[in-house]
Amino acid sequence: MTFTERPTMTDVDAVLDAAGLTNESVREYVKYWFGVTGAERIEVVNASDEARLTQEALDAGELLPVQGGRTFSRSYLKDTARAEERTIVATSDEADKGVYNNWQPSGPAKENYLSLVTGASAGKTMYVVPYLMAPQGSPLEKFAAGVELTDARTVVLHMIKMARVGVNYINELAEPDHFVRAVHVTGDLPNLGQGTPDDKRYFYTIADERTIMHFGSSYGGNALLGKIAHGLRLASYDGWKNGFLVEQFLLLGIKDKQTGTKHHIVGGFPSASGKTNLSMTLAPDALGDRYEIEFFGDDIAWLWPGEDGRLWAFNPEFGVFGVAKDTNEHSNPTAIDAIEPGSGAIFTNVAYNEKTQDVWWEGKTKNPPEDLDGWLDWKGNPIADRSPEEADEPWAHPNSRFTTSISLVPNASPDYSDPAGVPVDAIIFGGRTRDREPLIRAITDVAEGVYDGLTLGAEATFAADGLEGVLRYDPMSMRPFMSYGEGDYAQHWLDVLGKVTEKPIFAHVNWFQRDPEDGHFLWPGYRENVRALVWLIEAKNGEVKGNATAVGVIPTKDELLLEGLEAEPGDLDKLLTIDVDRWKQEMGYREEHLNTFTNVPDAIWEAHRRVAGALEQS
């Protein structure tokens, strides 16, 4: 519906009527923010609008065509990643303040947001995006519904791939007023002072009001509000208050084709620690006749205690928003299959060839294209015009992305959209470390497993932090997404698992240990990582015993399925041992880390003391 001048509220009602949006609570919310932001037009979106909106974005130059019906999006050069320092959790209770959540009182936060967005969408379309961050009919559906209001068409197109989008999800709510209100206003990106004392970007989650208010970005987690702001940050607060867990976890399945049994693993990994590649992996060729890996999700899992006494989980997302860098046929062949011509994938901030409509990123191939004709870097500058000093600069942004649908991943589980979810057999953590952590160590005690997650970390580079060998701790890989205090978070984990009678096994994995002499990786990684996961499931089922150490049970060499593995025997010996002195040093760092939190449960401190004491006796 078009108007010759800015529509009245009567006109807005007519648009909502025509779209079939009948939920009165949603209609009032839409009309309020339409009035505040000053948008010129309004449109209600369904997933069936994707092709039309894509063509409109191409016609407007917001997207560029990529071979095979795919598209390319280029962000503003200062709008290329989440901005943790500008991301704020606001509530009415200061007790919600944690070390990582940048807590603020909600009253001033809402006032500031109104001052920023009043009239800020003038001349633009307000897109109304009703969505569901769960399979319809899920036990947690009540917490999954939301309506994002955005003035960016590219955001709408990403949301259609990443969430279940349509007015039916909102009209059919059991409680019509129980939905997440998610408001996104892009702002004038070149004039927001990004990274300066005058930075005008604010990304608020008003957690106790189930409201998200973001201003000053059109990129990724800053703008796709169903994904991070709702699917992780706000949902974790919902989970705290309602008895379930929300984590930045992968979810995969391992099917034993001989026995027909399936087991499911969730896991948290800090950045650059192999989470996406593991979530989308395949079994190594030598094990492929027996084991099949099923993909459920690479980034988020919601977990709850089921009526059968087991822990259950699903991935709330409908798509994959993956890091392009180093994604190739060897590291992640299923991802490559999911973004090939015909997939409708959206590429963001990669290198783009304006003549051939091809895309490239570092690691896609060993070397960049030799013929530079038509190639533009992620900023839109011709590669061929680079000076010698610029020759080594990356073509694609390090945080460049691809967006595609889970249904296109070749090994996507047939159960990925089952509203019942799947039972969880194992919870793993894994940070990139060159020493200290073996290939895998299993943990059977719940408190020690939660403790291990709270002290999860990956190596900090000496150049960045000046702390050689000290990990950057990232509890459960949730550091950027915490919505309440870390001590309360730990207790919530203990409470949820306390309701589970068939406990999952915990484990810590590390694919990145290096030889101390020449620095080579001791483990080949990628598909070979499945061998460690199969061992873990066998350990849970009592089929292998391993070697007990102070920090968990590690495999014996003969327990791992090593057929076809290309690794030196001496490397395996190093991978399956514990450096006690290095671990004693690590325990001191862990104690300092835990002491930064308040209200850490006694059970966590007791777990810390048990591990430290066992190391002293080793």
Side-chain angles (χ1 to χ4, degrees):
M1 187 174 295
T2 58
F3 304 97
T4 57
E5 54 187 47
R6 189 169 188 269
T8 65
M9 287 305 167
T10 301
D11 296 327
V12 172
D13 275 322
V15 172
L16 302 182
D17 288 342
L21 204 165
T22 59
N23 185 315
E24 285 299 329
S25 296
V26 173
R27 293 170 70 105
E28 290 304 313
Y29 154 70
V30 170
K31 288 188 284 186
Y32 172 77
W33 284 104
F34 182 76
V36 169
T37 62
E40 184 174 314
R41 298 168 296 278
I42 187 165
E43 181 176 336
V44 181
V45 175
N46 291 283
S48 58
D49 297 317
E50 181 177 20
R52 173 181 59 80
L53 290 169
T54 298
Q55 189 58 54
E56 289 178 4
L58 287 166
D59 293 343
E62 299 162 357
L63 293 175
L64 296 174
V66 175
Q67 299 170 359
R70 300 166 294 173
T71 54
F72 165 68
S73 172
R74 181 180 292 124
S75 298
Y76 175 61
L77 62 91
K78 294 182 180 179
D79 186 31
T80 57
R82 283 184 291 103
E84 292 180 23
E85 73 283 359
R86 309 301 301 173
T87 304
I88 295 157
V89 172
T91 67
S92 58
D93 187 354
E94 191 171 357
D96 294 337
K97 183 177 183 178
V99 173
Y100 299 132
N101 69 350
N102 295 334
W103 182 88
Q104 289 184 10
S106 55
K110 290 187 288 186
E111 291 176 9
N112 183 50
Y113 188 77
L114 279 174
S115 73
L116 293 167
V117 304
T118 298
S121 295
K124 296 184 176 182
T125 298
M126 172 184 278
Y127 295 96
V128 179
V129 187
Y131 66 86
L132 198 64
M133 295 302 293
Q136 197 166 25
S138 156
L140 301 181
E141 182 180 350
K142 174 180 177 179
F143 306 99
V147 179
E148 176 165 4
L149 309 179
T150 178
D151 58 9
R153 186 159 33 203
T154 54
V155 170
V156 177
L157 289 167
H158 280 85
M159 279 291 292
I160 288 173
K161 292 192 181 298
M162 294 304 299
R164 296 156 177 86
V165 171
V167 295
N168 57 302
Y169 297 121
I170 295 299
N171 289 339
E172 298 168 9
L173 293 180
E175 300 176 47
D177 193 45
H178 198 270
F179 64 93
V180 169
R181 291 153 169 82
V183 184
H184 166 250
V185 176
T186 302
D188 182 11
L189 295 178
N191 294 293
L192 296 182
Q194 293 93 336
T196 73
D198 298 321
D199 201 326
K200 296 180 176 63
R201 297 172 299 162
Y202 286 90
F203 309 124
Y204 292 114
T205 295
I206 315 297
D208 54 354
E209 298 181 21
R210 308 195 74 240
T211 296
I212 300 163
M213 302 187 301
H214 282 207
F215 173 77
S217 175
S218 63
Y219 176 82
N222 299 334
L224 312 182
L225 302 189
K227 178 174 173 54
I228 297 297
H230 179 175
L232 271 177
R233 195 172 291 113
L234 194 150
S236 73
Y237 193 92
D238 277 344
W240 179 38
K241 299 298 184 180
N242 294 278
F244 62 96
L245 295 167
V246 170
E247 306 297 329
Q248 193 196 22
F249 279 0
L250 62 78
L251 173 57
L252 62 81
I254 299 179
K255 179 180 178 180
D256 186 328
K257 291 187 280 189
Q258 285 186 8
T259 65
T261 56
K262 286 186 181 182
H263 295 86
H264 301 95
I265 297 174
V266 296
F269 293 72
S271 295
S273 294
K275 177 162 65 77
T276 298
N277 288 343
L278 180 62
S279 70
M280 304 180 82
T281 195
L282 301 170
D285 289 338
L287 304 185
D289 288 341
R290 178 166 182 182
Y291 295 102
E292 180 179 341
I293 308 303
E294 294 185 347
F295 173 74
F296 287 84
D298 70 319
D299 203 35
I300 306 176
W302 292 12
L303 307 98
W304 68 96
E307 294 180 359
D308 62 352
R310 294 186 291 179
L311 187 68
W312 288 73
F314 66 68
N315 169 22
E317 298 187 291
F318 204 51
V320 179
F321 184 64
V323 174
K325 186 176 186 294
D326 293 327
T327 299
N328 55 55
E329 290 284 359
H330 175 65
S331 67
N332 198 335
T334 58
I336 293 296
D337 286 345
I339 59 177
E340 62 186 7
S343 65
I346 304 172
F347 300 94
T348 303
N349 294 341
V350 296
Y352 177 73
N353 192 305
E354 59 185 347
K355 294 185 177 180
T356 65
Q357 299 179 355
D358 198 3
V359 291
W360 189 85
W361 53 83
E362 276 67 25
K364 184 184 181 189
T365 54
K366 184 177 180 179
N367 298 307
E370 292 184 4
D371 184 356
L372 303 185
D373 186 35
W375 281 105
L376 308 176
D377 67 15
W378 68 273
K379 298 177 184 178
N381 300 321
I383 300 291
D385 292 350
R386 286 184 166 185
S387 67
E389 293 77 17
E390 298 169 324
D392 293 331
E393 292 184 5
W395 288 27
H397 190 278
N399 196 39
S400 58
R401 297 279 177 158
F402 60 84
T403 309
T404 191
S405 300
I406 290 178
S407 62
L408 298 177
V409 178
N411 63 331
S413 171
D415 302 325
Y416 83 89
S417 262
D418 187 339
V422 293
V424 175
D425 298 285
I427 301 170
I428 64 175
F429 304 110
R432 177 187 285 264
T433 59
R434 65 178 50 239
D435 60 15
R436 145 186 32 185
E437 286 290 357
L439 177 65
I440 185 169
R441 52 184 178 86
I443 303 166
T444 56
D445 180 84
V446 168
E448 289 185 18
V450 175
Y451 161 74
D452 196 74
L454 289 173
T455 53
L456 170 64
E459 283 181 342
T461 62
F462 184 83
D465 298 286
L467 298 170
E468 188 172 15
V470 179
L471 303 183
R472 180 185 186 268
Y473 292 106
D474 186 352
M476 309 282 190
S477 74
M478 282 288 285
R479 179 171 173 153
F481 315 112
M482 289 284 192
S483 56
Y484 56 101
E486 292 77 11
D488 291 332
Y489 174 77
Q491 185 61 56
H492 182 51
W493 261 88
L494 296 173
D495 291 344
V496 170
L497 292 179
K499 297 175 182 176
V500 174
T501 55
E502 187 177 329
K503 312 288 189 191
I505 192 170
F506 284 85
H508 199 113
V509 300
N510 179 26
W511 321 129
F512 303 100
Q513 193 173 156
R514 290 178 178 265
D515 184 88
E517 301 298 327
D518 62 16
H520 76 270
F521 286 109
L522 301 180
W523 182 251
Y526 302 119
R527 294 168 66 178
E528 307 300 345
N529 299 337
V530 171
R531 301 173 190 270
L533 301 185
V534 169
W535 175 87
L536 178 63
I537 295 303
E538 291 177 339
K540 180 182 186 293
N541 294 337
E543 299 166 19
V544 294
K545 295 186 180 299
N547 282 327
T549 76
V551 294
V553 178
I554 60 177
T556 62
K557 195 186 301 185
D558 62 331
E559 289 173 344
L560 287 172
L561 300 177
L562 299 179
E563 179 187 353
L565 179 71
E566 296 183 5
E568 296 296 325
D571 287 352
L572 283 172
D573 292 334
K574 295 171 187 173
L575 284 164
L576 301 178
T577 57
I578 299 294
D579 185 338
V580 173
D581 290 338
R582 194 74 173 88
W583 265 97
K584 288 179 180 178
Q585 181 189 45
E586 170 63 19
M587 296 306 289
Y589 295 142
R590 288 186 170 198
E591 185 165 343
E592 292 176 9
H593 164 64
L594 290 178
N595 273 320
T596 64
F597 305 144
T598 58
N599 302 323
V600 174
D602 290 342
I604 299 301
W605 281 117
E606 290 167 5
H608 174 79
R609 288 190 287 269
R610 280 199 303 274
V611 175
L615 284 165
E616 289 298 328
Q617 295 173 11
S618 294

